């Protein structure tokens, strides 16, 4: 037997219950999507920071390998200062016998500064290197046989410099640490 004509269709209460269930399911799906988006954004930010750090370290390693380059032996190129957070050195890249900035090569005299939140290349503070702001960073120095020379060694003793970085982890976990070593070609 069918429903009376006045009872055919959906009641207001049934519509409200259905809409409430739909809103709960939709809210849960949106919350799940938001959590997934945050996770993906954190992964992307971490990877971008590491790529920028690797690019900065590659530049540092290339500069350090050439520290002291002096093809005419007249420029006085060499390492002038080394410390856990700073290094200063020069190289006669254009081979003109002088360590002077030129329009073709303004970087014959270089300095690097590292600290929490800082990775700079250049004289007088220089530009920050990309967005790779380390949580912690330090240089260490090794001699010809790989022995650690301490925090501020005599430049003539140093063959290899090691740069150690810990980049921030967006999840707040312990930051990952990486070390890069580069040996000078012109000690």
């Amino acid at each position: 037997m069918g429903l009376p004509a006045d009872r055919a269709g959906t009641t207001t209460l049934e519509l409200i219950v259905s809409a409430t269930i739909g809103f709960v399911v939709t809210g849960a799906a949106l919350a799940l999507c938001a959590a997934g988006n945050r996770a993906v954004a954190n992964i992307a930010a971490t990877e971008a920071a590491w790529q920028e750090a690797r690019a900065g370290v590659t530049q540092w390693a290339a500069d350090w390998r050439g520290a002291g380059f002096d093809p005419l032996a007249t420029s006085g190129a060499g390492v002038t200062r080394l410390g856990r957070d700073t290094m200063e050195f020069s190289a006669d890249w254009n081979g003109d016998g002088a360590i002077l900035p030129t329009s073709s090569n303004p970087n014959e005299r270089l300095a690097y500064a590292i600290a929490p939140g800082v990775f700079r290349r250049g004289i007088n503070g220089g530009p920050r290197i990309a967005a790779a702001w380390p949580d912690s960073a330090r240089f260490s120095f090794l001699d010809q046989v790989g022995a650690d020379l301490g925090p501020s060694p005599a430049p003539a003793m140093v063959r290899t410099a090691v740069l150690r970085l810990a980049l921030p982890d967006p999840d707040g976990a312990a930051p990952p640490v990486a070390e890069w070593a580069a040996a000078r070609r012109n000690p």
Side-chain angles (χ1 to χ4, degrees):
M1 170 179 223
L3 291 174
D6 62 338
R7 293 267 311 162
T10 308
T11 66
T12 304
L13 181 59
E14 291 171 331
L15 285 174
I16 291 173
V17 168
S18 298
T20 302
I21 292 170
F23 288 139
V24 168
V25 169
T26 302
L30 289 174
L32 184 60
C33 287
N37 286 344
R38 279 191 303 276
V40 168
N42 284 345
I43 290 168
T46 300
E47 183 58 29
W50 277 105
Q51 287 177 358
E52 291 165 352
R54 282 190 293 270
V57 168
T58 299
Q59 179 66 58
W60 163 78
D63 289 342
W64 175 251
R65 284 185 188 108
F69 177 70
D70 191 357
L72 302 178
T74 60
S75 69
V79 179
T80 54
R81 188 171 85 157
L82 298 172
R84 285 208 180 270
D85 59 356
T86 307
M87 58 176 20
E88 294 178 11
F89 52 88
S90 58
D92 186 11
W93 297 117
N94 60 9
D96 67 357
I99 302 294
L100 299 171
T102 64
S103 58
S104 64
N105 191 348
N107 294 319
E108 288 192 325
R109 188 167 288 158
L110 286 171
Y112 276 87
I114 57 174
V118 175
F119 189 5
R120 294 186 185 272
R121 174 185 187 258
I123 293 295
N124 300 324
R128 288 188 119 146
I129 295 178
W133 317 132
D135 272 358
S136 66
R138 69 176 169 84
F139 292 114
S140 55
F141 307 98
L142 310 175
D143 65 10
Q144 285 292 103
V145 295
D148 190 340
L149 295 171
S152 296
M157 300 291 296
V158 177
R159 172 67 176 177
T160 302
V162 178
L163 173 55
R164 183 176 192 267
L165 289 177
L167 294 179
D169 187 330
D171 294 329
V177 176
E179 285 189 355
W180 293 273
R184 281 178 31 197
R185 291 187 191 123
N186 308 291

